[in-house]
Structure formats: C-alpha cells, structure tokens
Amino acid sequence: MTRRALISVSDKTGVVDFARELTARGWEVLSTGGTFQALQEAGVSVTAVSDVTGFPEMLDGRVKTLHPAIHGGILARREETHLSQLAQQGFGTIDLVCVNLYPFRETVARGAPDPEVIENIDIGGPAMIRSAAKNHAGVLVLVDPADYAVALQDDVPAPERRRLAAKAYQHTSEYDAAITAYLTGSSDQLPTRLPERLTLDLHRTAEVRYGENPHQPGAIYRWGAARGPVLDAQVVAGKPMSFNNYADADAAWSLCQELAAQEEGAVCVAVKHANPCGVAVAADVRTAWAQARDADTLSVFGGVVAVSRPVDFQAAQAMRGTFLEVLIAPEVTPDAVAWFAEKKPDLRVLVAGPTGGVSVLDVRPLTGGFAVQERDARPWDDLCPEVVTGRQPTEQEWADLRFAWATVKHARSNAVVLAKDGVTVGLGTGAVSRIWAAERAVANAGERARGAVLASEAFFPFDDVVRLAAAAGVTAILQPGGAKRDPEVIAAANELGVSMVLTGSRHFRH
C-alpha cells in the first residue's frame, strides 16, 4: 500500500526538498493552499487535498481539511476494524502529517489589525496535528523542519514517534496560549489582573553557558510575544550575555528608565547583584558615569551600568580603568563601539530598544508553584508626600528625596539610600534589620552624608535610624510611615532639626 503524507506548512523551510525526497521513496504527497502551490511550482508530484475529499476549499480557505477523508485517514488505528471502515468509505490512511501553523505570533508582533490577527488563528492545522499525535503509533507527526530527516528513516522507532507526538502537543499548546493571551489583551505582557488560572507561555530565546553558578544549567525565555528592552537589546560589542548579566542589566535599565522619566539630566545607574551601587543624574553621560562610579568605586568593579542617553566616544573613554560586565544604553556611536571592541573586548555593550509597556504582574518561583503580584509601578506623582516636621525640606532636598525614593524602590529590602545633589552617596541594601541597612549606608557615605537626604523603602519601627542619620549630617528623611512609634520617630526628627516626609507607600523588594 502506498504511504501518504499530508504537508501543509506556513514555515516552508526545507519543505520542497523534503517532499521531493518523500516522493522519490514512493510516498504520495497531499497538500493544500500555498504549500500545494509551492510544491507544484518546484516540480514535485503533489495531490490537492480537495481531490481527496471531493470538496473544494471554501470560506476563503477556512475549511479545507476538516473532512472524514482526512481525519479518518489520520486517526484510524492500523488494525482490521478501523481499516475496514475506512475501506467501506473509500478512504485511505494518511501515514505522515507535516504541519506547522499560521504565523499568529508574528502577525500580532508586527501590530496587524484585529481582523488580520483573527484570520491567522489556525483551525485545521491544530486539529490535524493533534489527531496525528494521538495516533503516533501509526502516524508520524512533524511540526519542526529540524525533524524532517527523522521521517526519511526506513523505520522510525516507537520512542522517537512518542517524542515527536509530545513536541506536536507542545506546539499546539503554545499556540493556544498565544491566542488566549491576545484575546485577553495580554499578548505583549503578563495579564492585567490576577486570574484564577495563569498560563506561562514561555519559549527559549537565548542560551547561556550556565545559570547563576557554573553547576546550574540556565536559559533565557520570552513571555509570549512580549518584548523587553534587555531581552531584545542588540549586543554591539563584547562577549555573549550570561544569566547574571541579563538579570543585572534588566535591574539597571529598569531603574535608569524610571529616573529618566522624572529627571531632566542624563541618568547613570550602576548595579551589582541586582542592587544599585551607584546612581547619578548629571548634565551629560560622561559626568553622570563619573559620579555614579565615584559613589562606590569598590562595588562598581565588575558591575553592570545603564545610561539613559547615547554613549559617544568621550563617554566611552571615561570608562577606561573600570572593569564592567555590561553597558546598556539607548544608543552607542560607531566610534564608541569600535573603542569598546578594541579596549574592552570583554565588556558586553548593549543597545536597548524602546522600553514599551511594563509587565503588569511580577511572577516569582516557589517550590511547586509561583508567588504572583502586581508589579510595584506606583510613580512619585501618585503619592501625597506629607511633611510631618517643623522643618520643611529645601528645594534641593525635595529633588534629592524624589531621586532617592526612586532608587530605594529598586533596592533589595531592607534598604536605605543616602543621596546628595542627584548622586547616591551611600546605600545599604539587603539587610535583615533597618538599622543595619542605615548603618551600612552611612558608613558607605562617610563625610558625604553631611547635607544628604535619606530614603527608606519601609517605615522606621524605632527612632534609631533618625538619630544615626542626624549624627552623620543628614538633613532630610523620606519614609512611608505607618509604624506604631511614628510619634516618637517624628519627635526625634524635630528634636534634631531634620525634615521628615511620609509617603504612605511602602516598597518592599525581596
């Protein structure tokens, strides 16, 4: 009995050579639409599916393979009862299904209008794939051109057939998830609310040598059709990105963009282990970099740097002498790229595209599940800062408080940030007590704490941070408030002549 293959693909990579090889081996090839035309034009012997079903394609191609002659031929078990029923209807078996689906994700990604997106929801394709995968004991199912060679073996073993079936179901599952995301308005970001069921449509977009440590395998995945400034950044110089590079660059760029939206100058953010270690706003990138570097010259070594404006040759040269892992910017001039490639060949230089929408949900792994929350995206303008002390902040202190508040929001809790004149002068992050975070920030600042402001991402349970800050020369403090001892904390600030502003908004970050 002649074996029959049904081929209908959107991705036509290698399909002509594959079909030609099948026919050379005695297979009869059935096809539809554009695939039929491509095979026929290439001189491959091919039969139209409409000749098998006895019905023409209809409804602008929406219906062409949904027919018992097709699905019966795919789904029939290769045993007497099913084969005799096929024969009674004059149907033959279909022994290979080679199908990949309409380019739904690609259509969404290029911003096509809704009617065009809907037309790219494949119906017959998933039905044939699922039918063939169910009956994989008798039918080969191919959804990936990389597997075409498998079908050309004289005998495909059962484990390989099962692997292809699992791959086929994964293919249709991801496709359905992409459609669901589009119809719920979340194809380019996580859903806009906390749904009862949350499907993570993830596909690998980059390979890395290992994860956080050499003994951990790792990879980078994309959520559906979403785009990310770091995920989609162009590496214009340096080595391939590592797992930790991606995490740190994303943290640096996120803070850099938040500050760029509220500050008039050029922003530079240096990050180490996902925590800011030096942040500055200045008239130009070169100055901002120098100030962010000098904020903590020890921690910036081996760090990741994000800047909000183009990096030119002069700014690139200013980074001489400091070892960095990653630099990410909205633009890097050609002469700067050439300089980095020659002078800092190990530095990964990234050009990030538009930030676009920020994912609404923050998803973090737990053993056996995930903790999911809405992302902490509350802007400064959404707050109602209240001065609760007799001393009011000066105009410069207000500017520094706003700057420090954005920075501390992106630091790991417990976190305290000291800032002065648009530059961080001391950071205490990831501490297990607030006073320890404050002590680290003050020690990091040293004499630079005089005239600085302090921001804390959570309230003060005691007045110890206020007294420590005042003794170091801090003149204004911003914190959420809401502690039982707020009256004592405020009283200490008044006693010491320090301005205190309460935001009413906590920003834990674990």
Side-chain angles (χ1 to χ4, degrees), residues 302-361:
V304 169
V305 169
V307 296
S308 64
R309 293 184 181 176
V311 175
D312 58 17
F313 184 71
Q314 288 71 32
Q317 285 190 311
M319 297 180 186
R320 186 194 302 271
T322 302
F323 170 64
L324 298 173
E325 289 277 356
V326 178
L327 168 67
I328 180 168
E331 180 184 342
V332 183
T333 61
D335 53 352
V337 170
W339 187 87
F340 282 127
E342 179 185 356
K343 301 297 184 181
K344 287 180 169 288
D346 291 335
L347 173 66
R348 300 143 176 102
V349 181
L350 277 61
V351 173
T355 301
V358 177
S359 298
V360 173
L361 297 189

Side-chain angles (χ1 to χ4, degrees), residues 208-282:
V208 294
R209 286 193 300 161
Y210 50 79
E212 284 186 290
N213 300 291
H215 62 276
Q216 295 173 265
I220 305 302
Y221 288 78
R222 181 187 305 280
W223 163 263
R227 297 187 62 80
V230 174
L231 197 64
D232 294 297
Q234 179 185 6
V235 181
V236 296
K239 300 188 299 185
M241 293 279 283
S242 73
F243 185 95
N244 292 333
N245 290 158
Y246 275 103
D248 287 345
D250 198 66
W253 189 252
S254 180
L255 173 53
C256 183
Q257 291 303 290
E258 178 161 345
L259 282 170
Q262 73 176 39
E263 303 288 343
E264 294 183 359
V267 178
C268 180
V269 175
V271 159
K272 193 74 167 287
H273 300 302
N275 269 312
C277 61
V279 185
V281 179

Side-chain angles (χ1 to χ4, degrees), residues 18 31 58 70 75 115 121 242 246 296 300 329 351 358 436 467:
F18 176 54
S31 193
M58 59 186 297
I70 301 302
L75 280 166
I121 296 177
S242 73
Y246 275 103
D296 189 342
V300 78
V351 173
V358 177
W436 288 357
R467 296 188 179 281

Side-chain angles (χ1 to χ4, degrees), residues 36-87:
F36 173 82
Q37 183 177 352
L39 296 180
Q40 193 175 52
E41 290 175 353
V44 177
S45 177
V46 58
T47 301
V49 162
S50 58
D51 292 339
V52 175
T53 63
F55 288 89
E57 296 182 13
M58 59 186 297
L59 305 181
D60 298 320
R62 283 189 171 196
V63 177
K64 45 184 178 275
T65 59
L66 298 173
H67 191 280
I70 301 302
H71 287 277
I74 297 172
L75 280 166
R77 291 194 298 268
R78 274 40 175 180
E79 47 90 6
E80 181 59 30
T81 303
H82 279 196
L83 294 178
S84 64
Q85 290 180 42
L86 280 185

